Amino acid sequence: MLKLFGAVLIVLAGALAGFKRAAQYADRPRHIRGLIAALQRLETEIQYGYTPLPEALRRIGMQSKEPLKAFFTTAAEEMSPPLDRSAEDAISKAMEEHWKAASLKGAEKEILRQLSCTLGTSDRSNQSTHIALALQQLKQEETVAREDQGKYEKMSKSLGLLLGALIVILIF
């Protein structure tokens, strides 16, 4: 009886690990779409609203869902007094704190890092151009993420379950 209970727990743990990995593949395109929407709102705030960057980031944070909400809110706090960090430093700090909570990869991080170098340091039209470039790159990453989701999501679920069963077979 105890062996059976242990075997069920091992198979369940393997299945849960597979489902968690599959959820990461499913969440990545959704988080990229959220990031694209947030950057489009940022472009609108900068181009048409003449909103200062910390306030624009704060508004975007309030409109976004987690984990992007925490990311943009932290970046806005870092840029606001008394810290008064540059956009590059504020976004870098926000990435350090909140990036692991998102199912985003290094490519998206690099796109945001490059964008942060130009935010707040140039005129509105130049910032708008850089945001448009970042949006284009993120749309390409979203396409790749959807392809990865199609390839690996179902496989991860099955592999987790099968790995748990293999461990049970090897142990017992």
Side-chain angles (χ1 to χ4, degrees):
M1 183 66 174
L2 195 56
K3 276 185 166 183
L4 180 63
F5 183 68
V8 169
L9 282 179
I10 291 172
V11 171
L12 185 62
L16 288 177
F19 276 86
K20 181 165 175 50
R21 182 71 177 150
Q24 290 174 336
Y25 283 112
D27 286 345
R28 185 170 177 234
R30 186 172 47 86
H31 288 167
I32 293 173
R33 280 191 302 275
L35 193 55
I36 288 170
L39 289 182
Q40 288 171 336
R41 288 192 300 267
L42 179 63
E43 183 178 23
T44 302
E45 290 282 348
I46 290 172
Q47 193 69 17
Y48 303 109
Y50 299 94
T51 309
L53 193 54
E55 181 59 29
L57 291 174
R58 188 173 289 108
R59 287 181 187 175
I60 290 167
M62 292 302 156
Q63 296 170 356
S64 299
K65 295 179 182 174
E66 290 295 342
L68 296 175
K69 179 178 187 168
F71 171 77
F72 284 110
T73 304
T74 300
E77 289 170 3
E78 292 291 323
M79 290 183 71
S80 300
L83 298 174
D84 288 326
R85 296 183 197 263
S86 67
E88 183 177 4
D89 292 340
I91 290 175
S92 176
K93 177 84 168 143
M95 276 192 236
E96 286 175 21
E97 290 181 21
H98 301 290
W99 199 258
K100 290 180 182 176
S103 295
L104 300 171
K105 291 190 175 180
E108 294 88 16
K109 188 174 188 176
E110 182 60 24
I111 291 168
L112 274 182
R113 190 197 61 74
Q114 289 176 358
L115 177 63
S116 71
C117 294
T118 59
L119 286 177
T121 60
S122 57
D123 62 344
R124 286 191 326 270
S125 62
N126 192 12
Q127 289 182 53
S128 181
T129 303
H130 286 285
I131 292 172
L133 176 63
L135 288 170
Q136 182 181 8
Q137 291 171 337
L138 284 171
K139 286 176 184 175
Q140 290 171 349
E141 289 299 322
E142 181 187 8
T143 303
V144 170
R146 281 189 189 155
E147 291 171 2
D148 286 349
Q149 180 185 7
K151 288 180 192 174
Y152 301 120
E153 183 179 19
K154 195 172 188 179
M155 182 186 70
S156 295
K157 291 176 184 177
S158 300
L159 198 58
L161 181 65
L162 292 173
L163 187 60
L166 176 67
I167 291 170
V168 168
I169 290 170
L170 291 175
I171 290 177
F172 299 108

